[in-house]
Amino acid sequence: MDTNKPRLLLTRRIPQPGPELLHEVFEVVGGEADEALERAALLERVVGVDAILCLLSETIDAQVMDAAGPCLRVISNMAVGYDNIDVPAATARGIIVTNTPDVLTDATADLAWALILAVARRVLEGDRFVREGHFRAWSPFMLLGRLVAGATLGIVGMGRIGQAVARRALGWNMKVLYVRQRGPLSSQEIPPGADWECCATLEELLARSDIVSLHVPLTDKTRHLIGERELALMKPGAFLINTARGPVIDEAALVRALQEGRLGGAGLDVYEREPELTEGLDELLNVVLLPHLGSATVETRSRMAELAARNAVAAIRGERIPHVVNPEVLPRSGGGGGKPAGTREGNG
Ligand code: GLV
């Protein structure tokens, strides 16, 4: 083992070319097991490392940073969302935090669409119906869903992923309403032929949309963004899709709205207390539940691993870092001056 190399803790196994790139530059600790690193093991293995490459399955807080010690220079998250990392604590310690936007935009947008279609057209109910031997003959009233073509799609958080979901809606001839923290998109950002309208408020979007899809990051401001009040504002029979972060929805309020038949259904890839489900959620037939698969394609996970590795390598070498979350910790004179990640409006 080359002890002159900087040390990196890889918290769990990641796809190639991630490990290959890391081994060229770092003495890599960990990365063998395909499961989240237990907290105690994380605190033990992190001691003395220069870098951490982690996933959203690990919480990297001040305790972990302090356990690592003063050598820790970079925390590279293999995810676009970084709510698992205490970024202010990292910034206070001068530690660079990086993430992996862009490479998972299409995969996450595709999955949001898989949920939209599955919920509106009752795909899973139909699958179960056939498997359970109930399908005897075609029937004019069997498992009727709602037409997605021509419906109004409301996008909450019109960042990279929100826009990718909206672009796909062009094929369904849909009106797209959106709310965006930074205000309306410029006309150059709207594809030709698209009917996209920026709503002044979330309330307006909820009241006018047939399908609402969430694409905001989890922050103090977006926790429970969709609660009892917001659910009550949605059109009767509307669908709610969440591929962002679970705590953006008050899950107990959502279960109540679904139980009372106020909503048409929900498609969820993420949960408030992941992987735990709020009681009653898995008993509802008009809900499609996925195990956080937003970026789960072979190609995407490989690109995420590569980008996470490149972020860590560039940070440790003082080179330009592809995606930095907290650029304020970088020296002003250029070295390591990656572009800000700008993920305020898009998680996968
Ligand atoms: C996945 O949820 C991610 O943030 O990359």
Side-chain angles (χ1 to χ4, degrees), residues 218-300:
L218 177 63
T219 65
D220 290 343
K221 284 200 186 121
T222 62
R223 191 174 297 276
H224 282 197
L225 183 69
I226 305 295
E228 194 82 53
R229 189 183 79 90
E230 290 71 25
L231 292 166
L233 290 172
M234 288 176 69
K235 281 187 178 179
F239 301 107
L240 180 63
I241 308 298
N242 191 6
T243 53
R245 284 290 184 269
V248 173
I249 298 178
D250 176 346
E251 216 167 80
L254 174 63
V255 170
R256 281 195 297 278
L258 289 162
Q259 282 169 339
E260 290 164 16
R262 285 186 270 130
L263 291 188
L268 306 177
D269 188 39
V270 288
Y271 305 90
E272 191 170 350
R273 288 168 300 279
E274 210 165 299
E276 238 177 80
L277 302 183
T278 294
E279 205 183 318
L281 193 57
D282 59 353
E283 284 153 26
L284 293 159
L285 290 178
N286 54 348
V287 173
V288 176
L289 305 173
L290 296 180
H292 205 147
L293 296 180
S295 63
T297 77
V298 172
E299 301 86 345
T300 308

Side-chain angles (χ1 to χ4, degrees), residues 100-121:
T100 60
D102 296 330
V103 291
L104 46 67
T105 298
D106 283 328
T108 309
D110 284 351
L111 197 84
W113 266 92
L115 286 171
I116 291 171
L117 293 170
V119 174
R121 298 304 305 275

